[in-house]
Amino acid sequence: MSLSAITFLYPAMLAGLMILPVVWLLIRSAPRSPKNVIFPAARLLRGLKSQRRDIQRAPIWQTILRCIILTLLIIAAARPVMNRNDFAQNNGAVLIIADNGWQSAANWAQYKTALQQIANQARFDLQTVYIAQTAPEASGASTWKLPDIVGPISSHDADSLIDRLQPRPWNSDYTALSDLISENPQMNNTIGSILWLTDNMDSPGKATIASDLQDIAPITIISPTRSDRIAIRSLMRSRTGLVATIAHNRSETPREINLLARGDRGSVLLRHSGELAANTDQTEVAIFLPSDIANAIQAVGIEGIEDAATVFQTGARWQQRSVGVIVSSGDSPGVLSDQYFFLDRALSPYAEISYEPLGRLLEKKVDILVAAGPVSGLGSQYEALERWVNEGGMLVRFAGDSSTEIGNEFLPVTLRLGNRDFGGSMSWEKPKRLLDFPDSSPFFGIEVPQDITVTRQLLAEPDPDILSKTWARLTDGTPLITSAPRNSGRVVLFHVTPWADWSNLPMSGLFVELWQKILPLASPSNRNDAELSSSLPPQTVLDGFGQTHQPDALILPVRAPLPTPNPRHPPGIYGENGQAVSLNLGPSLDNIANDMVWPSGISTRKITDQSQIDLAALCLLGALALLLFDALILLAIHHVTLRRNRHSNAFTSILIAFGITGLAGMMLLGSNTVSHAASIQEAALAPRLAYLKTGVAPVDRLSQAGMTGLTEFLRRRSAADLNAVDGINPETDELSFYPLIYWPLVDGQEPFSERARERLNRYLNNGGMILIDSRDREVQPARLRRLLAGLEVPLLDRAPGDHILFRSFYLLDHAYGRFSAPLWLDARPDQRLDGVASVLFGGNDWASAWILPEGRDELLAEDIAPRQREMAVRFGINLVMYALTGSYKGDQVHLPAILERLGR
């Protein structure tokens, strides 16, 4: 420990050390306590000589000891602090800007450390705190906004808010933050310093808000020590496996990374080492693997970096496509290999190709049909082909030879009669070349080689919407590749043949690149300008750390074009099976390589892991120990008795020691106060439902809204008039007053402490009931036991359809919620508790279904049908009645009435 690391908050108190010499002299000059002598009779005084009693000085060890105690008390009054972090000046409130956009997740542990250090400094300096976030949150029915700035609050309240902060898997909105700060002039007048926790990546509006904040107070930028910024921008299949395009900040030296390919349920299929190139902001990493393993990949991530940008999910488009080339039944294999040589070479590495008549290909339900010239066998299969395209199939057509017409059916544009070729009535002076692909084309961004020429083409009529249908065009503006949606499917037309007589495009590498872009379009997951057949509800979403979890009611379905990830549409998988769409964060990030240039006058510093230590409490504890030592020595010297007149010094030392003990305890523990959900008297007199707080704000809001809605439904439909719901913490709150506790499970849930486990076990053993909701349809009891290690969870079994729970108020047959997964409960309930189950477990996201329709719009789940919501409410009422009345409905006396109602 270096003395230079110690700072005194009140250095003037050290002037008290100047009185130590005076104390020394007083102690050394003071006599010992006089002895009591019995006064003799006067006659005994006769002849006695007067003797003067010499002053006896205190022992040197006692003098030194008590001077040390006084020194420690003076130093404690000066409030010494080790490793003091002077983040802000002590001349006003502190505004903390916590950057919690996607880029903060990789360094979130450092961010939390810095936030706690700032809160500690505010506690030492007795400063109030304002906290602002940069990532927006869901608000209203379908919008989002930045959370309000919290403050002024104490450092203790700041600690609680810091514990709840989480990174978000979308961009920060610095423009909205600037507006939010400017709308709060009262706060701006009290702020003495601004601390901004952020990285060094430039973002829209970041420099502007930095300049604006300088007009309010001095700014300190606190950034993490790790400066790498990495995102997976795209994932493409190749001949030998796949290619990951990785965007990153520039570095003078190469950097090693490990890519993890994960399959179903997160299992690791492949770990591949790659290298990020130096002095560039984008690197392509090729991964060699068989096609069957590539088909099984659900997501690719970067090992050791936990954020949403380093996770790329695949969706339905990732599966290898099956392509059927329509041929006549009489075509020989030799003819087919000659005619479709270039097409086969372009497609075979990326798709399964079959050459068969139209009828057989439709029976095989291929993803893409390819036809050159007229569609062979169209007459008898017209309706079948039309139905196949309308239901999502893709038909790719090419021009045929010059002796045949392509026909007018299944075309994206209307064609003119005849062909346009060199030497005809519309002859060209020279072959035409390709223009760059327009930004509305799926080929946008592919470089067009200058050696690609076209000598003949099919001409399209100039329709009003010809531009929107054109994916590629020649230098004279005429279309070369056109496309148009057809209900859920699509028709694509190459205005040249698939062989090299009209153009050298089929024999070029560009032809291969075009097909790499076309193949994924056979799935609805990546249609650039086509509308999805319906809105796709979220199936799984990513949090800020790139972890997959089930969506809550705040997340909305998506439609094409896919939005940039936001609070209503976080990265994840939307839709099911063939309709599954992957919404990834990486493709929308185009500023990763841009470094921030801060305006002049802004100071910057790095986050350190050195926490501030308050040495005042240690000094007080040292003084306490020395006082106790002094008292014990005095007691030993005077042979311990309880007579005060002999041992007042010792007992005085003991009393002072106890006083210092209390003062040191207060300084160590602070003034932490525990807020209970409800007073004991109020909870006992007014029954209510409760939910366990998870610390995840959206989940807690959803739980509160759901339990509040269930309470209101009970009031409307039954005689149960319960009080407002409570959010409880098993660590601090008494549980015995709540007949039913709703417990939503969240990912990354911290295990309970021993105290919390004892409280929960006592609650269950005394007749309490807990409904545990995994909210993701996963209802395997084995998973529950892993999450609830340490709790006395009984043996669970699937609830039978005739269980009392399903007839306690309404007659039901299932535990309806947002979903309809099965319910598990005690297999052998304790008869001491009237045979009532104490633990119920399911995954139906009941809170989402219990929210009042007239409640908060941003919490209502739009994917719950009215009938499903009504059945979920009925199950909730049954559940509360079961918790309140137990097996009352199981009595045989009610059986005739139940049978009569069933007979109706």
Side-chain angles (χ1 to χ4, degrees), residues 613-693:
I613 302 176
D614 187 3
L615 298 180
L618 297 179
C619 291
L620 288 175
L621 289 176
L624 164 67
L626 293 179
L627 274 174
L628 291 175
F629 178 73
D630 179 80
L632 293 175
I633 292 296
L634 288 176
L635 289 174
I637 291 176
H638 291 285
H639 307 292
V640 180
T641 69
L642 297 178
R643 288 186 301 174
R644 182 180 176 186
N645 57 350
R646 285 195 174 185
H647 314 296
S648 58
N649 284 348
F651 287 112
T652 301
S653 298
I654 293 175
L655 291 176
I656 296 175
F658 280 115
I660 295 179
T661 301
L663 182 60
M666 288 188 293
M667 296 190 67
L668 286 175
L669 300 178
S671 58
N672 296 340
T673 58
V674 179
S675 61
H676 294 278
S679 68
I680 294 178
Q681 181 179 4
E682 181 184 1
L685 296 177
R688 68 195 70 206
L689 305 179
Y691 66 92
L692 256 64
K693 294 180 180 178

Side-chain angles (χ1 to χ4, degrees), residues 383-423:
E383 293 183 359
L385 178 60
E386 185 176 31
R387 183 170 55 254
W388 177 84
V389 173
N390 291 338
E391 292 177 355
M394 175 181 285
L395 175 62
V396 180
R397 304 194 61 183
F398 288 85
D401 55 46
S402 58
S403 62
T404 59
E405 295 291 341
I406 193 173
N408 296 321
E409 301 86 2
F410 297 101
L411 293 175
V413 294
T414 303
L415 297 179
R416 293 184 179 181
L417 295 177
N419 304 322
R420 181 186 185 190
D421 61 332
F422 183 81

